[in-house]
Amino acid sequence: YCIGVTFLFLFSGKIYGWTWNDSTLFTPQQLREDADFFFETLQQKHPDVYYYCGMEEFERKKHQVYEKLDVSMTGIRFLELMNTMNSCLDNHTRLLSIIAYYGDKFVEAIAGNNELVFVPEDIRDGKLYYTISGKKVSVVSINGINVQLILSVLNEWEWIQPLKRKSYNMWRYFTICLHSYFDVHSPFEIEYEENRQSFQVEIEGVSIMDEINRGKKSTEYYDQHSSVYYQVYPQSSMAILYLHSFLMEELNKSEFTRKMEELSNQLRQHRIQHLFVDVSKNSGGHFEEVCRFFDYLSHDTIYLNYSKIERESPSVTKYIPYSKTLVRLPEKNNLLFSGDLFVLQSMTTASAADDFCRIVAQNSLGVLIGQDTGTHTRGFSSIWSFELPHTKLPFQVASAFWDFSRDFNTETLTPDMYWDTNFREEFSEEELQSIVKQWEEQKKN
């Protein structure tokens, strides 16, 4: 596990370039005005704020927020309170995450020393697992704090998303929450259950620096290469293109075009038969950037099929029935590849990256390999960005409800062939060969 690196690389930068003074106190009136602005914006922009929790649960949690706005508090305390709404909100509708804030604090706390941290083995089905004496056991408490309490806090801070992705995020953020929110440090007094019996053991934890060094291999290409990076394996007649982001600010247009032209020349020169496109680490971005890639594939006219409900104004909601939307016409001049296309996806493939995979599937352009994606088949997107008037907290609101369920009847997009691998690492040539071999065998059967 590379959890230390996951935390450091995700949270070492300032979120949205925004900070605040933790000691600044905001009055109850200022806080209520910020809360009013947030909830009024939701009602004006979001197609259905009650979609996941229902009106009664949503309003109950909202009422609990306002009940606590009777005293002055710092921005961080207000953010903690507002983040309790996340368990009713979709992944595109959110205030700055309290986990992101604590992630910065976590990095600051361990900087300059070699602090030992607790890294869980797994979180699934509402339980936390840890390996003790070679056995995976269910942990009940850590330093006297019930694990269910920690998980309930994490669950409140997490937005609505597929269950597998939510369990993954809770595992990823557990160390931050334990360290920064509950202030639990090494040594760790672990109470665990095995064969319906309760046991206790003290563990030192793992070195954060060891975790960093262990994870360097899985993250070094993010530093060495841009968000567009490829490798060609002439001996195996294979190539892989890594698309780590579809954000405009990261996917530079001129650089993208240059890389595509370079790769196109390599594919023709070596007569490559199999091209892999890795979006398993891609959490999304802008739909226009998704579309640009298809100019470099051999294809007929490409469509994306969906229905949509879009909030155009507080009083106007637009409905688009299930229909085809043009993505790309054939582009002969930019032709990159006409062989076998494999798209690598995972639970961290989300938003626009999920759209990328759905376009491939709907137009029969290639084969989807990996895990279920991390975005609902019926869910919210099309983001508007805002800022609260007093605390200056940034937040975003989804303005459209997208429905792909006529073509996909699963919670998220499932692959054509499942592939169990660590999607935080690059794919080796041998692994790509194994994928092709297994896919060919699956087709025969």
Side-chain angles (χ1 to χ4, degrees):
Y1 289 96
C2 307
I3 197 162
V5 169
T6 301
F7 291 155
L8 287 173
F9 277 78
L10 283 178
F11 301 112
S12 58
K14 296 299 180 184
I15 309 301
Y16 305 116
W18 168 87
T19 60
W20 80 76
N21 185 342
D22 290 349
S23 63
T24 300
L25 281 175
F26 298 93
T27 66
Q29 181 178 347
Q30 288 175 317
L31 298 172
R32 283 194 294 271
E33 288 175 357
D34 273 13
D36 288 345
F37 185 83
F38 176 74
F39 288 112
E40 288 169 5
T41 304
L42 286 189
Q43 293 291 349
Q44 292 171 3
K45 295 294 183 181
H46 199 278
D48 186 359
V49 295
Y50 304 129
Y51 182 82
Y52 289 110
C53 287
M55 182 177 69
E56 185 174 347
E57 174 67 6
F58 186 96
E59 293 298 328
R60 182 186 68 81
K61 293 174 73 69
K62 176 181 170 183
H63 179 71
Q64 289 177 340
V65 167
Y66 277 99
E67 277 187 324
K68 297 177 181 178
L69 297 180
D70 58 348
V71 295
S72 296
M73 62 180 70
T74 62
I76 182 62
R77 296 305 165 210
F78 179 65
L79 184 57
E80 283 180 357
L81 181 59
M82 293 297 290
N83 268 200
T84 61
M85 294 301 304
N86 286 355
S87 56
C88 279
L89 299 174
D90 61 272
N91 201 35
H92 284 103
T93 301
R94 58 195 182 192
L95 275 164
L96 169 71
S97 171
I98 191 67
I99 281 291
Y101 172 84
Y102 280 134
D104 271 345
K105 293 300 178 185
F106 177 78
V107 171
E108 291 172 13
I110 63 175
N113 61 46
N114 197 24
E115 183 166 354
L116 301 176
V117 295
F118 178 85
V119 181
E121 181 77 17
D122 192 13
I123 293 177
R124 52 186 165 83
D125 302 324
K127 293 185 177 181
L128 181 144
Y129 295 93
Y130 191 78
T131 300
I132 296 177
S133 300
K135 293 183 179 180
K136 186 183 287 188
V137 298
S138 175
V139 177
V140 177
S141 68
I142 304 172
N143 289 21
I145 299 177
N146 192 287
V147 163
Q148 290 304 312
L149 172 61
I150 305 172
L151 294 183
S152 69
V153 170
L154 277 169
N155 188 61
E156 274 206 323
W157 290 347
E158 277 289 295
W159 301 284
I160 297 294
Q161 53 195 305
L163 289 178
K164 289 182 181 178
R165 176 67 183 265
K166 193 159 190 171
S167 292
Y168 168 77
N169 279 358
M170 291 174 73
W171 165 80
R172 186 170 57 156
Y173 300 144
F174 188 89
T175 299
I176 291 176
C177 187
L178 184 68
H179 182 286
S180 299
Y181 183 79
F182 287 96
D183 198 27
V184 173
H185 304 270
S186 176
F188 303 102
E189 297 283 346
I190 305 297
E191 180 186 355
Y192 67 95
E193 290 181 346
E194 186 178 10
N195 299 325
R196 298 184 179 180
Q197 291 186 324
S198 180
F199 301 91
Q200 290 188 337
V201 64
E202 180 179 294
I203 64 171
E204 290 296 314
V206 295
S207 163
I208 193 66
M209 295 310 297
D210 287 347
E211 287 300 302
I212 292 172
N213 292 329
R214 188 180 308 170
K216 278 184 177 177
K217 180 181 177 183
S218 68
T219 55
E220 62 185 3
Y221 62 90
Y222 281 104
D223 294 332
Q224 295 175 354
H225 306 285
S226 67
S227 56
V228 185
Y229 166 52
Y230 66 85
Q231 289 183 321
V232 178
Y233 302 103
Q235 297 286 339
S236 305
S237 194
M238 297 187 310
I240 181 167
L241 172 67
Y242 293 93
L243 295 177
H244 294 150
S245 172
F246 287 121
L247 289 170
M248 288 180 180
E249 53 268 32
E250 294 183 19
L251 202 59
N252 180 275
K253 186 172 183 179
S254 60
E255 180 191 17
F256 178 83
T257 301
R258 180 176 60 81
K259 289 288 182 70
M260 290 297 100
E261 290 174 352
E262 287 178 4
L263 178 57
S264 180
N265 291 334
Q266 291 278 314
L267 296 179
R268 282 194 294 268
Q269 177 183 341
H270 299 292
R271 298 181 180 179
I272 299 299
Q273 297 178 9
H274 307 297
L275 174 63
F276 289 82
V277 178
D278 180 13
V279 291
S280 65
K281 309 162 189 65
N282 191 321
S283 59
H286 304 286
F287 188 71
E288 305 93 287
E289 304 304 298
V290 170
C291 297
R292 279 169 51 196
F293 172 82
F294 296 103
D295 290 343
Y296 297 89
L297 289 182
S298 175
H299 61 76
D300 298 322
T301 303
I302 293 177
Y303 297 96
L304 181 62
N305 307 329
Y306 59 87
S307 62
K308 185 167 72 167
I309 300 172
E310 188 165 16
R311 197 71 175 269
E312 294 189 332
S313 71
S315 59
V316 177
T317 301
K318 181 180 179 181
Y319 169 65
I320 300 175
Y322 210 83
S323 58
K324 293 182 175 182
T325 297
L326 177 66
V327 172
R328 272 311 193 250
L329 294 169
E331 285 279 353
K332 301 292 185 183
N333 294 335
N334 291 344
L335 184 58
L336 165 75
F337 186 70
S338 58
D340 297 328
L341 178 69
F342 296 88
V343 175
L344 302 163
Q345 63 179 47
S346 75
M347 68 178 72
T348 59
T349 301
S351 192
D354 175 85
D355 291 341
F356 177 90
C357 296
R358 291 183 191 273
I359 292 172
V360 170
Q362 285 182 333
N363 294 272
S364 302
L365 297 174
V367 181
L368 303 180
I369 305 290
Q371 302 169 331
D372 298 350
T373 62
T375 294
H376 288 103
T377 294
R378 304 175 78 242
F380 297 90
S381 189
S382 302
I383 298 166
W384 294 81
S385 297
F386 304 92
E387 184 181 83
L388 297 182
H390 298 294
T391 58
K392 305 302 179 184
L393 287 164
F395 72 99
Q396 60 187 42
V397 179
S399 64
F401 177 77
W402 299 71
D403 184 357
F404 296 97
S405 60
R406 184 173 295 184
D407 286 345
F408 307 99
N409 60 4
T410 51
E411 182 190 22
T412 69
L413 179 59
T414 60
D416 297 305
M417 185 181 81
Y418 280 94
W419 188 259
D420 186 17
T421 188
N422 184 346
F423 285 96
R424 292 181 301 279
E425 295 184 355
E426 284 187 307
F427 290 83
S428 67
E429 180 179 5
E430 293 73 23
E431 191 170 12
L432 299 180
Q433 288 175 323
S434 297
I435 290 173
V436 172
K437 182 178 179 181
Q438 184 169 318
W439 172 244
E440 291 175 345
E441 291 174 353
Q442 181 171 310
K443 284 197 301 181
K444 291 178 183 177
N445 298 330

